[in-house]
Amino acid sequence: MQFRLLDNKGTPKWEISRWTYSPEKKRAIKETLGSFPCRYSMVSRDILDKCTTQEKAEVLEWWRVTSEAVNRERVRNQITRLPVIFKDLGTLLDVIQDNPKDLAELKQHAYAFKDAVSRVVRRKSRQQKNQEAVNSVPA
């Protein structure tokens, strides 16, 4: 299986392809199984229907790893983009007193940060529970 990021003008897409042997051409040919936008959370059913069981496992594992990397990057971006204002409570209080618009923007950043952190915490606790379940299964 091959996964290739297509750099088109709109939404970037992933393309999934594989090499198969063609008896009539007597050589290996590249067969494109399909493409899908990066923002989708799952590989489409029509692509998976063309795959063997082994290939499906490969595609799903690749997607899991890719999704985790994308989510990590998204969280990292949200955290690093937080305004410097958060680091200085004195400035924060001044802003709140001076300008209601800044306060509204600050709230948005706070919600984004809280959301990102809670997602990470939920995922970590889920992974920990799964690990504990695996470890507690009697052999």
Side-chain angles (χ1 to χ4, degrees):
M1 301 300 287
Q2 283 190 315
F3 307 96
R4 192 168 68 109
L5 189 58
L6 303 174
D7 228 7
N8 55 349
K9 286 190 170 58
T11 310
K13 289 185 171 184
W14 284 103
E15 179 185 80
I16 298 180
S17 56
R18 67 177 166 202
W19 288 92
T20 51
Y21 180 74
S22 166
E24 58 274 1
K25 292 188 177 177
K26 294 186 171 58
R27 64 186 174 90
I29 56 166
K30 189 176 181 183
E31 180 186 357
T32 300
L33 297 177
S35 63
F36 57 95
C38 288
R39 67 174 180 274
Y40 283 2
S41 60
M42 225 23 190
V43 178
S44 65
R45 176 67 40 209
D46 61 316
I47 292 175
L48 287 177
D49 287 344
K50 296 175 191 171
C51 295
T52 64
T53 309
Q54 171 62 33
E55 287 174 334
K56 273 184 195 170
E58 276 182 56
V59 169
L60 294 174
E61 175 61 14
W62 167 84
W63 184 255
R64 186 187 65 75
V65 169
T66 306
S67 300
E68 282 180 7
V70 167
N71 287 337
R72 268 197 309 275
E73 191 52 41
R74 190 176 295 132
V75 168
R76 191 177 297 119
N77 274 347
Q78 284 179 331
I79 291 169
T80 54
R81 282 187 193 151
L82 284 174
V84 182
I85 259 178
F86 277 121
K87 294 175 186 160
D88 182 2
L89 278 176
T91 313
L92 180 60
L93 293 172
D94 291 345
V95 167
I96 291 171
Q97 289 166 354
D98 292 347
N99 194 342
K101 271 188 196 167
D102 286 351
L103 176 61
E105 190 182 328
L106 207 56
K107 277 183 183 169
Q108 282 181 334
H109 282 291
Y111 287 133
F113 180 63
K114 180 177 166 278
D115 191 40
V117 169
S118 65
R119 247 184 273 138
V120 170
V121 168
R122 276 197 304 270
R123 189 172 67 241
K124 289 285 180 204
S125 67
R126 202 167 43 241
Q127 285 172 349
Q128 197 172 356
K129 278 182 196 162
N130 291 347
Q131 191 59 43
E132 286 168 5
V134 168
N135 291 343
S136 67
V137 172

mmCIF file of all heavy atoms in Angstrom, residues 17 22-23 26 34 40 54 62 67-68 85 87 92 104 108 123:
data_model
loop_
_atom_site.group_PDB
_atom_site.id
_atom_site.type_symbol
_atom_site.label_atom_id
_atom_site.label_comp_id
_atom_site.label_asym_id
_atom_site.label_seq_id
_atom_site.Cartn_x
_atom_site.Cartn_y
_atom_site.Cartn_z
ATOM 1 N N SER A 17 -2.858 3.826 -2.947
ATOM 2 C CA SER A 17 -2.675 2.983 -4.133
ATOM 3 C C SER A 17 -1.905 1.726 -3.753
ATOM 4 O O SER A 17 -1.356 1.629 -2.668
ATOM 5 C CB SER A 17 -1.938 3.762 -5.223
ATOM 6 O OG SER A 17 -0.715 4.244 -4.722
ATOM 7 N N SER A 22 -0.217 -7.742 -13.257
ATOM 8 C CA SER A 22 -1.172 -7.880 -14.346
ATOM 9 C C SER A 22 -0.701 -8.973 -15.306
ATOM 10 O O SER A 22 0.319 -8.787 -15.992
ATOM 11 C CB SER A 22 -1.294 -6.544 -15.079
ATOM 12 O OG SER A 22 -1.948 -6.712 -16.301
ATOM 13 N N PRO A 23 -1.432 -10.124 -15.330
ATOM 14 C CA PRO A 23 -0.991 -11.221 -16.222
ATOM 15 C C PRO A 23 -0.986 -10.815 -17.692
ATOM 16 O O PRO A 23 -0.072 -11.185 -18.437
ATOM 17 C CB PRO A 23 -2.026 -12.319 -15.981
ATOM 18 C CG PRO A 23 -2.744 -11.951 -14.728
ATOM 19 C CD PRO A 23 -2.620 -10.473 -14.585
ATOM 20 N N LYS A 26 1.900 -8.682 -18.100
ATOM 21 C CA LYS A 26 3.078 -9.399 -17.597
ATOM 22 C C LYS A 26 4.032 -8.492 -16.796
ATOM 23 O O LYS A 26 5.250 -8.604 -16.914
ATOM 24 C CB LYS A 26 3.837 -10.073 -18.744
ATOM 25 C CG LYS A 26 3.068 -11.192 -19.412
ATOM 26 C CD LYS A 26 3.927 -11.904 -20.435
ATOM 27 C CE LYS A 26 3.304 -13.156 -20.972
ATOM 28 N NZ LYS A 26 2.003 -13.011 -21.623
ATOM 29 N N GLY A 34 -8.152 5.155 -4.526
ATOM 30 C CA GLY A 34 -8.978 6.345 -4.326
ATOM 31 C C GLY A 34 -8.262 7.383 -3.491
ATOM 32 O O GLY A 34 -7.164 7.159 -2.999
ATOM 33 N N TYR A 40 -11.101 14.407 6.625
ATOM 34 C CA TYR A 40 -12.017 13.311 6.934
ATOM 35 C C TYR A 40 -11.431 12.439 8.035
ATOM 36 O O TYR A 40 -10.237 12.229 8.104
ATOM 37 C CB TYR A 40 -12.294 12.447 5.689
ATOM 38 C CG TYR A 40 -13.263 13.076 4.727
ATOM 39 C CD1 TYR A 40 -13.783 14.347 4.975
ATOM 40 C CD2 TYR A 40 -13.662 12.423 3.582
ATOM 41 C CE1 TYR A 40 -14.671 14.931 4.091
ATOM 42 C CE2 TYR A 40 -14.551 13.000 2.684
ATOM 43 C CZ TYR A 40 -15.051 14.261 2.948
ATOM 44 O OH TYR A 40 -15.937 14.833 2.080
ATOM 45 N N GLN A 54 -5.589 -7.948 4.870
ATOM 46 C CA GLN A 54 -4.264 -7.451 5.270
ATOM 47 C C GLN A 54 -4.117 -5.974 4.907
ATOM 48 O O GLN A 54 -3.640 -5.174 5.701
ATOM 49 C CB GLN A 54 -3.165 -8.292 4.585
ATOM 50 C CG GLN A 54 -1.760 -7.755 4.739
ATOM 51 C CD GLN A 54 -1.307 -7.718 6.191
ATOM 52 O OE1 GLN A 54 -1.681 -8.559 6.984
ATOM 53 N NE2 GLN A 54 -0.510 -6.719 6.528
ATOM 54 N N TRP A 62 -2.295 2.870 9.375
ATOM 55 C CA TRP A 62 -1.704 4.104 8.844
ATOM 56 C C TRP A 62 -2.580 5.300 9.222
ATOM 57 O O TRP A 62 -2.083 6.327 9.657
ATOM 58 C CB TRP A 62 -1.595 4.016 7.317
ATOM 59 C CG TRP A 62 -1.306 5.332 6.685
ATOM 60 C CD1 TRP A 62 -0.095 5.926 6.530
ATOM 61 C CD2 TRP A 62 -2.269 6.257 6.161
ATOM 62 N NE1 TRP A 62 -0.239 7.151 5.932
ATOM 63 C CE2 TRP A 62 -1.565 7.382 5.691
ATOM 64 C CE3 TRP A 62 -3.655 6.242 6.039
ATOM 65 C CZ2 TRP A 62 -2.204 8.473 5.124
ATOM 66 C CZ3 TRP A 62 -4.283 7.332 5.480
ATOM 67 C CH2 TRP A 62 -3.560 8.428 5.029
ATOM 68 N N SER A 67 -3.701 10.255 12.047
ATOM 69 C CA SER A 67 -4.664 11.066 12.796
ATOM 70 C C SER A 67 -4.069 11.543 14.110
ATOM 71 O O SER A 67 -4.235 12.698 14.499
ATOM 72 C CB SER A 67 -5.935 10.274 13.100
ATOM 73 O OG SER A 67 -6.537 9.863 11.919
ATOM 74 N N GLU A 68 -3.369 10.640 14.798
ATOM 75 C CA GLU A 68 -2.749 11.025 16.069
ATOM 76 C C GLU A 68 -1.719 12.125 15.854
ATOM 77 O O GLU A 68 -1.639 13.072 16.632
ATOM 78 C CB GLU A 68 -2.096 9.814 16.739
ATOM 79 C CG GLU A 68 -3.095 8.920 17.425
ATOM 80 C CD GLU A 68 -2.454 7.717 18.103
ATOM 81 O OE1 GLU A 68 -1.210 7.642 18.159
ATOM 82 O OE2 GLU A 68 -3.228 6.859 18.563
ATOM 83 N N ILE A 85 -0.180 37.289 26.888
ATOM 84 C CA ILE A 85 -0.959 37.878 27.987
ATOM 85 C C ILE A 85 -1.216 36.870 29.103
ATOM 86 O O ILE A 85 -1.244 37.212 30.270
ATOM 87 C CB ILE A 85 -2.288 38.431 27.412
ATOM 88 C CG1 ILE A 85 -2.158 39.922 27.267
ATOM 89 C CG2 ILE A 85 -3.492 38.008 28.151
ATOM 90 C CD1 ILE A 85 -3.348 40.590 26.680
ATOM 91 N N LYS A 87 0.657 34.804 30.333
ATOM 92 C CA LYS A 87 1.816 34.615 31.195
ATOM 93 C C LYS A 87 1.907 35.699 32.269
ATOM 94 O O LYS A 87 2.661 35.584 33.206
ATOM 95 C CB LYS A 87 3.088 34.589 30.350
ATOM 96 C CG LYS A 87 3.144 33.389 29.440
ATOM 97 C CD LYS A 87 4.335 33.454 28.530
ATOM 98 C CE LYS A 87 4.279 32.299 27.537
ATOM 99 N NZ LYS A 87 5.084 32.545 26.375
ATOM 100 N N LEU A 92 -3.189 40.850 32.278
ATOM 101 C CA LEU A 92 -4.498 40.267 32.045
ATOM 102 C C LEU A 92 -5.583 41.095 32.738
ATOM 103 O O LEU A 92 -6.604 41.439 32.135
ATOM 104 C CB LEU A 92 -4.515 38.823 32.557
ATOM 105 C CG LEU A 92 -5.799 38.043 32.401
ATOM 106 C CD1 LEU A 92 -6.168 37.930 30.934
ATOM 107 C CD2 LEU A 92 -5.664 36.660 33.004
ATOM 108 N N ALA A 104 -13.186 39.302 25.361
ATOM 109 C CA ALA A 104 -13.909 38.296 24.574
ATOM 110 C C ALA A 104 -12.919 37.410 23.806
ATOM 111 O O ALA A 104 -13.063 36.189 23.763
ATOM 112 C CB ALA A 104 -14.872 38.977 23.610
ATOM 113 N N GLN A 108 -12.043 33.279 24.111
ATOM 114 C CA GLN A 108 -11.971 32.315 23.007
ATOM 115 C C GLN A 108 -10.695 31.486 23.101
ATOM 116 O O GLN A 108 -10.721 30.269 22.948
ATOM 117 C CB GLN A 108 -12.008 33.035 21.660
ATOM 118 C CG GLN A 108 -13.384 33.483 21.265
ATOM 119 C CD GLN A 108 -13.358 34.164 19.910
ATOM 120 O OE1 GLN A 108 -12.339 34.718 19.497
ATOM 121 N NE2 GLN A 108 -14.472 34.127 19.220
ATOM 122 N N ARG A 123 -7.921 11.351 26.053
ATOM 123 C CA ARG A 123 -7.278 10.306 25.261
ATOM 124 C C ARG A 123 -6.271 9.529 26.117
ATOM 125 O O ARG A 123 -6.198 8.310 26.061
ATOM 126 C CB ARG A 123 -6.591 10.903 24.036
ATOM 127 C CG ARG A 123 -6.101 9.817 23.092
ATOM 128 C CD ARG A 123 -5.590 10.335 21.772
ATOM 129 N NE ARG A 123 -4.385 11.111 21.925
ATOM 130 C CZ ARG A 123 -4.256 12.391 21.587
ATOM 131 N NH1 ARG A 123 -5.263 13.042 21.068
ATOM 132 N NH2 ARG A 123 -3.120 13.024 21.753
#
